[in-house]
Amino acid sequence: SDMQEFIRVQTSMRTQVNLVIDMVNSLLVLERSLCSLTISLTCQLYQTLIELVQGPCPGNQRFLIGTNLCDVAVRFMHSSYPDCDVADVIELKMLCLKLLLAMVEGVPGDVIPRRIASSLDGNKIVAELDLCYSHSGCVGEKRAAERGADFRPSELQTSYRDLGFHFFLLVRTLAKHAPAMLDLCRRRARSYDYYAANTGAIEIVR
């Protein structure tokens, strides 16, 4: 945690360099010009930010929630990038979701979860859940099972399936603080029953 915060604050040094806010500002620039040439760099920035908050790291979590990172991540999460490889776009959206989930890891109170929930668009979440489900091969798997046949999803289908579960996990994680979001997904997402039936939870008591 000390090393994670050192990236943001160097208390023993005369000159302070906040690399965390620099990364957020870089994402703002990349958002306006994301293409096949920059998507890999964008993913790398998100991966780095995830590593700086997971664990958790309360100092970086509190700092980042005070920036516009949530809004930026959500815009990346719901945008379409037709000139980029589909697998790269799925990875980018997955990293956005993992970052938002890492932001609420181990945090006391409801400030951070409520801030993240306020950035989300319920209708777009519903659309993402159903889109991921329709591209995941789940329908083909079900039909194959009914015929007693084997079904092996492609790598892309597996990626869509994982992405859908991460969208659902975010909604479930924020349900205590944003019950209306979960209720909207329950009522409107055709894929809700599938995700709910195949998602489990454990509680770790330290």
Side-chain angles (χ1 to χ4, degrees):
S1 180
D2 290 343
M3 183 58 68
Q4 289 170 304
E5 292 203 25
F6 182 79
I7 301 297
R8 177 173 52 86
V9 180
Q10 304 85 35
T11 55
S12 60
M13 300 176 67
R14 180 177 301 175
T15 303
Q16 302 287 312
V17 180
N18 188 340
L19 295 178
V20 177
I21 194 62
D22 286 345
M23 282 185 265
V24 175
N25 290 334
S26 295
L27 286 174
L28 282 167
V29 174
L30 288 166
E31 180 189 8
R32 295 191 293 269
S33 58
L34 191 75
C35 63
S36 58
L37 297 176
T38 59
I39 192 168
S40 177
L41 173 60
T42 306
C43 288
Q44 187 175 5
L45 281 170
Y46 272 109
Q47 184 63 61
T48 303
L49 286 168
I50 291 169
E51 292 173 2
L52 291 177
V53 297
Q54 66 184 6
C57 181
N60 285 342
Q61 287 169 310
R62 288 192 299 268
F63 174 79
L64 284 169
I65 205 64
T67 70
N68 55 0
L69 177 64
C70 290
D71 300 319
V72 175
V74 169
R75 290 196 297 268
F76 269 113
M77 209 164 66
H78 293 314
S79 297
S80 55
Y81 306 102
D83 66 325
C84 296
D85 185 79
V86 174
D88 290 338
V89 175
I90 292 175
E91 181 185 3
L92 174 59
K93 293 189 176 192
M94 182 78 81
L95 289 170
C96 292
L97 288 162
K98 287 181 177 179
L99 175 60
L100 294 178
L101 287 165
M103 286 288 290
V104 299
E105 180 184 350
V107 297
D110 62 356
V111 174
I112 292 179
R114 285 186 180 278
R115 173 66 182 89
I116 293 174
S118 70
S119 298
L120 300 177
D121 184 321
N123 292 321
K124 290 182 179 179
I125 293 289
V126 168
E128 295 280 6
L129 288 171
D130 286 343
L131 178 69
C132 290
Y133 178 76
S134 67
H135 286 81
S136 67
C138 294
V139 175
E141 183 178 38
K142 182 179 179 181
R143 290 173 179 169
E146 291 171 351
R147 300 195 308 269
D150 291 331
F151 179 86
R152 293 185 179 181
S154 67
E155 186 175 340
L156 191 60
Q157 287 174 323
T158 300
S159 295
Y160 268 116
R161 189 176 302 193
D162 291 344
L163 181 62
F165 274 111
H166 274 78
F167 270 110
F168 185 76
L169 182 58
L170 180 64
V171 173
R172 282 283 296 269
T173 301
L174 298 175
K176 178 181 176 181
H177 309 281
M181 179 80 65
L182 181 64
D183 184 59
L184 178 67
C185 292
R186 183 184 294 113
R187 288 185 291 103
R188 294 193 51 197
R190 298 186 305 276
S191 55
Y192 179 87
D193 289 342
Y194 169 79
Y195 292 117
N198 291 281
T199 301
I202 61 172
E203 181 179 0
I204 299 175
V205 179
R206 297 181 181 179

